[in-house]
Amino acid sequence: MSGLTQLIRKDLRHHRRHFILASIGIVVGIAAFAFFLALGSGVRSVVLGEIFPLDKLEVIPRSTDVDLGPLRVGMGKDTLNDEAAKKLGEIEHVTGVYPKMKLTVPSIAAGGKELFGNAMRTEMVADGIDPKLVAEDIDSKYAFAYFDDREATKACKTDADCGETMLYCGDPLPAHAMTADGATAGEDEPAAEVADAPKGKVCRHYVPVIASNHLVEIYNGTIRRAHSLPKLNPNFVLGLKFDLRVGASMVRASKRKKVITERGRLVGFSDRAISLGLTLPLGYVSRYNVLFDDPNAAKTFHSIIVDVDAKDNVAGVAKGVEDAGFDVADSGAEQAAMLIAVFMMVFGFVSIVIVGIAAINIMHVFFMLIYERQREIGIMRAVGASRANIRTIILGEAAVVGALAGVVGVGLSMLAAYGFDLVSAKYIPDFPYKPDTYFEFSPLLLATSVGFAIGFCVLGAVLPARRAAKLDPAVVLTGQ
Amino acid sequence: MIRLSGVHKTYRTGQTSLEVLKGVDLEIGDGEFVSIIGRSGSGKTTLLNIIGGLDSDYTGKVEVEGRKLSEMSDRDLSRYRNRHIGFVFQSFHLLGHMTCLENVILPSLFNGGDGGLSEKQAQDRGLELLAQMDLADKAHARPIHLSGGQKQRIAIARALLHKPELLICDEPTGNLDRDSGDAILKLFSQLNERDGITLIIVTHDDIIAEAAARVVRIVEGNVVEDRRSEPNKNVDTSTSQREESA
Ligand SMILES: Nc1ncnc2c1ncn2[C@@H]1O[C@H](COP(=O)(O)OP(=O)(O)OP(=O)(O)O)[C@@H](O)[C@H]1O
Ligand SMILES: [Mg+2]
């Protein structure tokens, strides 16, 4: 075997020009293949890893609308309650069940002067979630939990008197925030504040709030530039304090209720927080909803997040959810995954076609070389090479050419990817989820690319190798 | 011992077919020096190719050391060429992209690892043969820089690498001048007498034919003459031997 290896080496060196020419197509094809697949899987891991994490499902009540073509008849909804949560928890492969509730009370968040230069006010969209769901995303300095401040009595003059990071010195909760039926007077915001005139400050808990990484991404990628505001670094924003006016609205006056003013504090970022809005511990949202809206609100959830043990089991769990009588909210992940898969398939296919055509080119070159080397092959046969030896030599040469072409192709694609990332970092303005690299060259991809290159080269050389093995040494050596 | 009986060979090209060997019977003993002569186109090369296992497309029986060549697999036949036969051609057939030494040790690359020469042994044997051929200084030269006589000596060295029992030479001096031809002839005689190698040489060269102990003449695919003559020795024994073998 080592003898044949030596021969292959010598032949490759001798015919290197031919082989280099022959392998250009393979190099290009493999470069394209590796490039597009790396791009696809890089984008995929951003999209499915960060934008639409796939290891959880959001369960929503089944909409029992009967679809009669243009006529949609609403038939009401099943509610999500503790019983539903329990049922969902029993589905196989579900590792956690976390109820989620929307804040149905119009509210305003205001503050951020230290960040933006001006105090900002914004209508607040908020969700309440089970704090356990995000426990690992909360900085140890802070706490994300429901604090019942109805009993807060410790008197204070400044925040320092209260000591803890989650405490501030503020007004006690107003009377109307104490009970569910609260105030019924239809006062406006200012009136409410007057009504709740301070009786002396006490140590209060900040309402802990988390935001999603999406929010930061979207802010940094778009909003910031439109309004020429500073770029936010999540670590820098952490701990931000602001006012939370529950029951207040910028667009319409709160219906009948009085406003409750609280201090909020940003205590973490999580992929499980809602994308556009703030996420609070479930207890707060439940209390506000009950106070302002509906006494039954405490028992019904808007959705339930279901954790799945592995991505591969998501589909099975989704089916279990539907069997249990609920629906799975469409996160867009499926479409995104499908889109990326199609992208990868199309470009992968195009690249393989290039490689395939290149293999035909390889075949031509090998046929030509074998014609040129007939005498050489005849000599080898005369001194003892068997047909199998000749075949091995030709296929071995093809394999080496393929391996080299594959390595060069992969190298080129990595170089191109590097260049692309460089250009992106330098010239493409930030956009949400703009990654440092768009590419993911997994060892599997590298091995597959080189494997394809070898495979196609060898495939291209099969017929030429057969012809070479069949050459009649008597004929080629005596030149008849 | 090589024994051919009733060997027929027909070349077919398209519609036409040409019967080149028409029932050749021939026996060549170990250590013989046989020259085969005959007109151009009479079938001499064809016969050599069959004996050397380069051509398996014939009818009749060819036996070497009691084994029928036609019953051997390609692998065995290749091994037979590799270990037991050396070929020398009129046009040398050296590989231009290899050095002289690499050409000489080429057969060692195909010995399939079983009982053949190791890389080192092949190198040593190659250098030894080159020295024997007075070409030690050309070991790392390319054949293209050599004269015809030198090239043929490289080719002979290659043929001798595995110490074959049989050397098959097809007009080995056909492309050489008189002096080079004589040197080659001397080499052949030496190989035959000193090392006992069986020699079958196709030649148009009378001097070679005369040097051979036995001359086989082929006319149109038939052996028409099989003459033994020991130039400076006894003629009678060779004649009687001829009758035995006929
Ligand atoms: N591969 C082949 N296909 C067809 N015909 C062939 C082939 N090889 C040889 N022949 C024919 O067979 C006949 C014998 O050829 P061969 O080479 O054996 O003759 P030769 O005696 O060696 O001649 P020379 O002295 O010219 O070398 C010739 O007529 C030749 O044309
Ligand atoms: Mg001939």
Side-chain angles (χ1 to χ4, degrees), chain A residues 472 474-476 478-480, chain B residues 9-13 16-21 36-49 55 90 170-171 202-204 218 221:
Chain A
D472 184 343
V475 173
V476 295
T478 53
Q480 307 257 354
Chain B
K9 166 80 188 182
T10 304
Y11 284 114
R12 286 184 188 81
T13 34
T16 62
S17 64
L18 178 66
E19 193 178 13
V20 177
L21 298 180
I36 297 176
I37 57 172
R39 280 231 184 96
S40 180
S42 55
K44 307 181 294 293
T45 298
T46 305
L47 185 64
L48 282 194
N49 286 342
D55 186 348
Q90 178 176 1
D170 196 351
E171 299 186 40
V202 164
T203 188
H204 289 292
I218 296 187

Side-chain angles (χ1 to χ4, degrees), chain A residues 88-270:
Chain A
L88 292 170
E90 284 161 2
I91 296 174
E92 203 181 351
H93 299 298
V94 169
T95 53
V97 172
Y98 307 96
K100 228 171 149 176
M101 195 182 279
K102 280 198 184 80
L103 181 65
T104 53
V105 187
S107 305
I108 286 174
K113 190 164 181 174
E114 54 280 47
L115 276 184
F116 308 109
N118 285 313
M120 311 274 277
R121 259 164 66 103
T122 175
E123 197 84 24
M124 187 177 85
V125 176
D127 256 17
I129 57 170
D130 186 338
K132 286 201 296 286
L133 183 63
V134 295
E136 63 202 37
D137 295 324
I138 306 301
D139 195 297
S140 57
K141 271 204 305 230
Y142 306 109
F144 186 72
Y146 173 66
F147 300 106
D148 190 342
D149 270 5
R150 282 179 284 192
E151 305 294 323
T153 50
K154 189 181 172 204
C156 63
K157 288 214 162 54
T158 62
D159 290 354
D161 295 338
C162 301
E164 291 173 42
T165 41
M166 289 312 293
L167 290 174
Y168 67 98
C169 189
D171 299 325
L173 270 177
H176 68 259
M178 294 296 183
T179 50
D181 42 27
T184 46
E187 283 103 337
D188 255 347
E189 195 180 335
E193 272 166 6
V194 170
D196 297 331
K199 306 162 190 145
K201 295 184 186 258
V202 293
C203 285
R204 293 279 316 279
H205 279 94
Y206 285 108
V207 173
V209 162
I210 57 173
S212 75
N213 295 312
H214 295 254
L215 197 59
V216 178
E217 282 292 339
I218 289 164
Y219 168 82
N220 278 336
T222 54
I223 301 171
R224 172 181 75 84
R225 282 184 301 115
H227 297 95
S228 49
L229 293 168
K231 183 163 182 163
L232 283 190
N233 175 338
N235 291 324
F236 189 59
V237 202
L238 208 61
L240 178 77
K241 301 162 187 168
F242 55 92
D243 284 334
L244 237 156
R245 296 198 194 112
V246 183
S249 170
M250 298 202 292
V251 283
R252 62 196 160 107
S254 108
K255 280 184 258 165
R256 310 159 280 141
K257 319 277 175 176
K258 291 181 180 175
V259 171
I260 300 172
T261 301
E262 304 241 37
R263 290 282 285 164
R265 187 155 201 191
L266 187 62
V267 299
F269 289 93
S270 170

